[in-house]
Short mmCIF file of all heavy atoms in Angstrom, two decimals:
data_model
loop_
_atom_site.label_atom_id
_atom_site.label_comp_id
_atom_site.label_asym_id
_atom_site.label_seq_id
_atom_site.Cartn_x
_atom_site.Cartn_y
_atom_site.Cartn_z
N SER D 300 -5.46 -2.16 -7.18
CA SER D 300 -4.68 -1.11 -6.54
C SER D 300 -4.83 -1.19 -5.02
O SER D 300 -5.91 -1.45 -4.51
CB SER D 300 -5.19 0.24 -7.04
OG SER D 300 -4.56 1.28 -6.34
N LEU D 301 -3.73 -0.97 -4.34
CA LEU D 301 -3.77 -0.94 -2.87
C LEU D 301 -3.84 0.52 -2.45
O LEU D 301 -2.89 1.27 -2.60
CB LEU D 301 -2.52 -1.62 -2.31
CG LEU D 301 -2.50 -1.89 -0.81
CD1 LEU D 301 -3.74 -2.64 -0.36
CD2 LEU D 301 -1.25 -2.66 -0.42
N ASP D 302 -5.04 0.90 -1.97
CA ASP D 302 -5.34 2.30 -1.68
C ASP D 302 -4.83 2.69 -0.30
O ASP D 302 -4.64 1.83 0.56
CB ASP D 302 -6.87 2.46 -1.71
CG ASP D 302 -7.31 3.87 -2.05
OD1 ASP D 302 -6.45 4.78 -2.09
OD2 ASP D 302 -8.52 4.06 -2.28
N ASP D 303 -4.61 3.98 -0.10
CA ASP D 303 -4.22 4.53 1.21
C ASP D 303 -2.98 3.84 1.77
O ASP D 303 -2.89 3.58 2.97
CB ASP D 303 -5.37 4.39 2.23
CG ASP D 303 -6.65 5.01 1.71
OD1 ASP D 303 -6.56 5.91 0.85
OD2 ASP D 303 -7.73 4.61 2.14
N PHE D 304 -2.05 3.55 0.89
CA PHE D 304 -0.88 2.80 1.34
C PHE D 304 -0.06 3.61 2.34
O PHE D 304 0.17 4.79 2.16
CB PHE D 304 0.01 2.41 0.15
CG PHE D 304 1.08 1.43 0.54
CD1 PHE D 304 0.77 0.09 0.73
CD2 PHE D 304 2.38 1.85 0.76
CE1 PHE D 304 1.74 -0.81 1.11
CE2 PHE D 304 3.36 0.95 1.14
CZ PHE D 304 3.03 -0.39 1.32
N GLY D 305 0.34 2.96 3.40
CA GLY D 305 1.13 3.62 4.43
C GLY D 305 0.33 3.86 5.70
O GLY D 305 0.89 4.11 6.75
N THR D 306 -1.00 3.77 5.59
CA THR D 306 -1.82 4.04 6.77
C THR D 306 -2.14 2.78 7.55
O THR D 306 -2.48 2.84 8.72
CB THR D 306 -3.16 4.70 6.39
OG1 THR D 306 -3.85 3.82 5.51
CG2 THR D 306 -2.94 6.02 5.69
N GLY D 307 -2.08 1.64 6.90
CA GLY D 307 -2.41 0.39 7.59
C GLY D 307 -1.13 -0.32 7.96
O GLY D 307 -0.07 0.28 8.00
N TYR D 308 -1.25 -1.59 8.19
CA TYR D 308 -0.05 -2.35 8.51
C TYR D 308 0.13 -3.49 7.52
O TYR D 308 0.11 -4.64 7.89
CB TYR D 308 -0.16 -2.93 9.93
CG TYR D 308 -0.34 -1.88 10.98
CD1 TYR D 308 -1.46 -1.87 11.79
CD2 TYR D 308 0.61 -0.88 11.13
CE1 TYR D 308 -1.62 -0.89 12.76
CE2 TYR D 308 0.46 0.10 12.09
CZ TYR D 308 -0.66 0.09 12.90
OH TYR D 308 -0.82 1.04 13.84
N SER D 309 0.26 -3.14 6.26
CA SER D 309 0.42 -4.25 5.33
C SER D 309 1.82 -4.80 5.50
O SER D 309 2.77 -4.06 5.72
CB SER D 309 0.21 -3.82 3.90
OG SER D 309 0.85 -2.63 3.65
N SER D 310 1.93 -6.06 5.38
CA SER D 310 3.25 -6.64 5.46
C SER D 310 3.82 -6.63 4.06
O SER D 310 3.11 -6.77 3.08
CB SER D 310 3.16 -8.06 5.97
OG SER D 310 2.76 -8.91 4.92
N MET D 311 5.11 -6.43 3.99
CA MET D 311 5.72 -6.41 2.67
C MET D 311 5.64 -7.78 2.04
O MET D 311 5.52 -7.90 0.83
CB MET D 311 7.17 -5.95 2.80
CG MET D 311 7.21 -4.49 3.14
SD MET D 311 8.84 -4.01 3.65
CE MET D 311 9.53 -3.51 2.14
N VAL D 312 5.68 -8.80 2.86
CA VAL D 312 5.58 -10.14 2.31
C VAL D 312 4.23 -10.32 1.63
O VAL D 312 4.12 -10.85 0.53
CB VAL D 312 5.79 -11.20 3.42
CG1 VAL D 312 5.61 -12.60 2.86
CG2 VAL D 312 7.17 -11.06 4.02
N GLN D 313 3.18 -9.85 2.31
CA GLN D 313 1.85 -9.97 1.72
C GLN D 313 1.73 -9.12 0.47
O GLN D 313 1.09 -9.51 -0.50
CB GLN D 313 0.78 -9.58 2.74
CG GLN D 313 0.54 -10.68 3.75
CD GLN D 313 -0.06 -10.15 5.03
OE1 GLN D 313 -0.38 -8.98 5.13
NE2 GLN D 313 -0.18 -11.01 6.01
N LEU D 314 2.34 -7.96 0.52
CA LEU D 314 2.29 -7.09 -0.65
C LEU D 314 2.91 -7.80 -1.86
O LEU D 314 2.43 -7.69 -2.97
CB LEU D 314 3.04 -5.78 -0.36
CG LEU D 314 2.98 -4.73 -1.46
CD1 LEU D 314 1.54 -4.35 -1.78
CD2 LEU D 314 3.77 -3.49 -1.06
N VAL D 315 3.95 -8.53 -1.62
CA VAL D 315 4.58 -9.28 -2.72
C VAL D 315 3.65 -10.39 -3.19
O VAL D 315 3.50 -10.65 -4.37
CB VAL D 315 5.92 -9.89 -2.27
CG1 VAL D 315 6.52 -10.73 -3.38
CG2 VAL D 315 6.89 -8.80 -1.87
#
Side-chain angles (χ1 to χ4, degrees):
S300 174
L301 190 53
D302 206 350
D303 306 335
F304 190 77
T306 59
Y308 301 120
S309 44
S310 79
M311 290 167 91
V312 177
Q313 283 157 5
L314 184 58
V315 176

